[in-house]
């Protein structure tokens, strides 16, 4: 109705050339809309009578949706290059995992994925911290989440634990054994508190373990 009113107004008030151009444009738009609608109806009718075509169209739509969904990429294959730099003679490469604004960042050292961080800033800082710890402890160490399970399954060379606040701790085999002995002697309530402090940060983990080590020496737990 709006287009019709505009056209009537143009016929009454606008020059012939202007009203003629508007009419041609309006008819062209209506014709294209009609053709598109008819084409879609034909496709739908063909799919209804051809199950294989319908299945193919559904599979294509799902595949297109999956390509844009980074959560359907558990192996972190859809990574996008961000930057590279050298640190302590090693080439560090940072890649964004997926396209979302909050997509995590994976860090590679000499072409091998080392760890995954929440942000680019954390990745730049965290990967340097890992290499500093490895250098200090003499050789490459495995990076694991800061949990009791990680201490129980750590290699004899030691392990670097990654805490919730993105800080890191190095545990030798003897230090891990002490922590596990403390954990074993605690009641369920204190075990839960121990595990939470261990997971939270380097400062809390070190402080807590030192506290219980002193009590262990006096056989108070």
């Amino acid at each position: 109705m709006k287009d019709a009113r505009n056209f009537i107004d143009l016929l009454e008030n606008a020059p012939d050339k202007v009203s003629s151009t508007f009419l041609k444009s309006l008819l062209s738009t209506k014709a294209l809309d009609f053709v598109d609608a008819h084409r879609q109806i034909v496709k739908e009718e063909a799919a209804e009578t051809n199950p294989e075509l319908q299945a193919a169209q559904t599979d294509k739509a799902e595949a297109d949706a999956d390509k844009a969904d980074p959560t359907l990429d558990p192996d972190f294959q859809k990574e996008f290059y961000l930057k590279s730099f050298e640190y302590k003679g090693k080439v560090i490469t940072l890649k964004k995992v997926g396209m979302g604004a909050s997509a995590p960042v994976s860090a590679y050292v000499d072409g091998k994925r080392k760890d995954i961080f929440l942000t680019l800033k954390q990745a730049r800082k965290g990967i340097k911290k890992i290499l500093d710890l490895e250098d200090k402890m003499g050789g490459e160490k495995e990076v694991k989440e800061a949990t009791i399970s990680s201490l129980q399954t750590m290699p004899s060379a030691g392990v670097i634990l990654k805490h919730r606040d993105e800080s890191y701790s190095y545990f030798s085999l003897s230090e891990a054994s002490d922590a596990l002995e403390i954990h074993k002697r605690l009641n369920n309530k204190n075990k839960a508190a121990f595990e939470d402090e261990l997971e939270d940060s380097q400062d809390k983990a070190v402080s807590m373990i030192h506290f219980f080590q002193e009590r262990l020496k006096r056989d108070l737990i």
Side-chain angles (χ1 to χ4, degrees), residues 7-23:
F7 181 59
I8 292 172
D9 183 62
L10 285 170
L11 286 176
E12 293 177 346
N13 303 297
D16 291 343
K17 187 175 181 180
V18 173
S19 58
S20 175
T21 300
F22 179 80
L23 176 60

Side-chain angles (χ1 to χ4, degrees), residues 53-139:
L53 178 60
Q54 188 177 31
Q57 291 176 346
T58 301
D59 291 344
K60 184 178 183 302
E62 292 177 351
D64 290 341
D66 290 349
K67 287 179 181 178
D69 188 354
T71 62
L72 299 178
D73 185 28
D75 296 325
F76 302 105
Q77 297 301 312
K78 298 172 186 171
E79 296 185 333
F80 302 89
Y81 175 83
L82 293 175
K83 65 181 301 182
S84 294
F85 58 92
E86 287 192 11
Y87 186 71
K88 293 193 172 184
K90 297 181 183 295
V91 177
I92 297 173
T93 302
L94 304 179
K95 297 181 181 182
K96 190 175 182 179
V97 184
M99 293 298 291
S102 59
V105 175
S106 59
Y108 289 77
V109 177
D110 290 340
K112 180 181 179 181
R113 186 187 289 121
K114 194 71 173 178
D115 207 342
I116 296 178
F117 302 86
L118 294 178
T119 66
L120 178 60
K121 182 178 179 179
Q122 290 178 348
R124 285 198 301 261
K125 183 178 179 181
I127 195 62
K128 290 179 180 180
K129 179 66 173 178
I130 291 175
L131 294 180
D132 288 342
L133 284 171
E134 290 179 352
D135 186 56
K136 179 181 177 181
M137 301 304 164

Side-chain angles (χ1 to χ4, degrees), residues 123-178:
R124 285 198 301 261
K125 183 178 179 181
I127 195 62
K128 290 179 180 180
K129 179 66 173 178
I130 291 175
L131 294 180
D132 288 342
L133 284 171
E134 290 179 352
D135 186 56
K136 179 181 177 181
M137 301 304 164
E140 183 175 337
K141 300 292 185 298
E142 188 174 358
V143 179
K144 291 188 173 184
E145 296 298 320
T147 64
I148 290 297
S149 177
S150 294
L151 295 179
Q152 292 171 333
T153 58
M154 61 174 281
S156 59
V159 67
I160 296 173
L161 297 184
K162 179 180 179 181
H163 303 277
R164 278 196 299 258
D165 69 344
E166 299 290 329
S167 61
Y168 294 85
S169 300
Y170 169 75
F171 275 73
S172 65
L173 189 60
S174 61
E175 289 170 335
S177 297
D178 287 347

Side-chain angles (χ1 to χ4, degrees), residues 148 182-198 208 211-212 215 220-221:
I148 290 297
I182 292 169
H183 182 263
K184 184 175 71 174
R185 295 191 181 201
L186 298 176
N187 59 34
N188 290 337
K189 180 179 179 180
N190 287 331
K191 278 183 178 179
F194 184 99
E195 292 168 8
D196 186 64
E197 296 284 281
L198 175 65
M208 172 198 60
F211 170 77
F212 280 116
R215 295 173 64 85
L220 297 178
I221 59 174

